Amino acid sequence: MAAPSPTDPWLERWLPMVVAHADGTAILELGCGSGRDTRTLAAAGLPVVGIDLSAEAIEEARARVPAAEFHCRDIREPFPLAAGTVGVVVASLSLHYFNWPETMALVERIHRQLRPGGLLLCRLNSTRDFHHGARRDLEAGADNFYLVDGFPKRFFDRAAIDRLFASGWRVLSADEQVVERYQQPKALWEVILERQDP
């Protein structure tokens, strides 16, 4: 696992690839929150369409990145862009709230949203994320999906990542990291994938 990063500038190193794959089209950001990553993308000259469930977060994101387009909705609802037209989808710590069938269905929808060869950049909770709800006491083979402070939350190991992206994806990078994004260090997987057609 990589050493903690003090500012969590995760998107910067992927920007050349993101710009190339976006090819002038809008980036779809799932779970944009208050616009932290949106600002990084917009500063690189990229148009962004962000989605988040929190109206408060969307309000903050609009104030932070007025040039971006934002939608307050559940990411399981229809996306605001036409299927097959998006070059890049960003989903940082937003795919972990759902049971396995819903998670699989969401990943399949993201696949359909992307153009052939399009990129998905996602970050997923690690099963080693003990400061943020991962449990050491789960038996081998457990689903790693349970309530954390009353909210459903999933944690991923490499086997779960391989299972989630087994069909229609080429994994370009999958690194387990520790980042200094919150008050306590956070363990996560940073996964970069390219849409492949069968």
Side-chain angles (χ1 to χ4, degrees):
M1 219 181 307
S5 163
T7 57
D8 189 25
W10 78 284
L11 273 177
E12 279 84 346
R13 71 185 181 119
W14 300 111
L15 282 177
M17 184 184 289
V18 169
V19 170
H21 280 77
D23 195 25
T25 63
I27 307 295
L28 179 61
E29 185 182 1
L30 304 178
C32 63
S34 61
R36 178 181 178 150
D37 291 338
T38 316
R39 181 172 56 190
T40 299
L41 294 165
L46 297 161
V48 185
V49 175
I51 300 173
D52 201 275
L53 185 60
S54 167
E56 183 179 313
I58 288 290
E59 209 171 294
E60 289 179 38
R62 284 190 176 121
R64 181 177 274 174
V65 193
E69 176 185 330
F70 295 101
H71 299 265
C72 185
R73 65 174 68 165
D74 190 310
I75 62 174
R76 291 169 295 181
E77 293 176 18
F79 298 141
L81 299 170
T85 64
V86 175
V88 179
V89 173
V90 174
S92 178
L93 300 173
S94 61
L95 304 180
H96 61 246
Y97 295 106
F98 317 112
N99 63 40
W100 191 257
E102 286 178 311
T103 305
M104 288 290 294
L106 180 55
V107 167
E108 288 168 10
R109 284 184 52 235
I110 293 169
H111 187 274
R112 289 193 301 273
Q113 191 70 37
L114 288 166
R115 299 188 305 246
L119 289 182
L120 168 60
L121 294 86
C122 66
R123 301 207 298 175
L124 306 165
N125 296 322
S126 167
T127 52
R128 297 182 191 186
D129 192 22
F130 302 121
H131 291 298
H132 298 277
R135 293 173 48 188
R136 299 174 194 265
D137 62 341
L138 290 179
E139 297 176 14
D143 193 32
N144 292 304
F145 181 62
Y146 41 85
L147 292 180
V148 177
D149 298 326
F151 296 97
K153 203 169 182 183
R154 176 175 302 285
F155 297 85
F156 293 81
D157 56 17
R158 182 58 196 253
I161 290 168
D162 290 344
R163 189 164 50 121
L164 184 61
F165 299 111
S167 178
W169 299 97
R170 181 166 73 102
V171 178
L172 304 178
S173 178
D175 294 318
E176 193 174 25
Q177 303 178 355
V178 174
V179 300
E180 298 291 341
R181 185 180 177 102
Y182 306 108
Q183 290 183 343
Q184 295 284 341
K186 177 163 186 65
L188 54 77
W189 285 92
E190 182 177 291
V191 187
I192 314 301
L193 308 111
E194 185 178 68
R195 173 185 159 164
Q196 301 285 289
D197 290 320

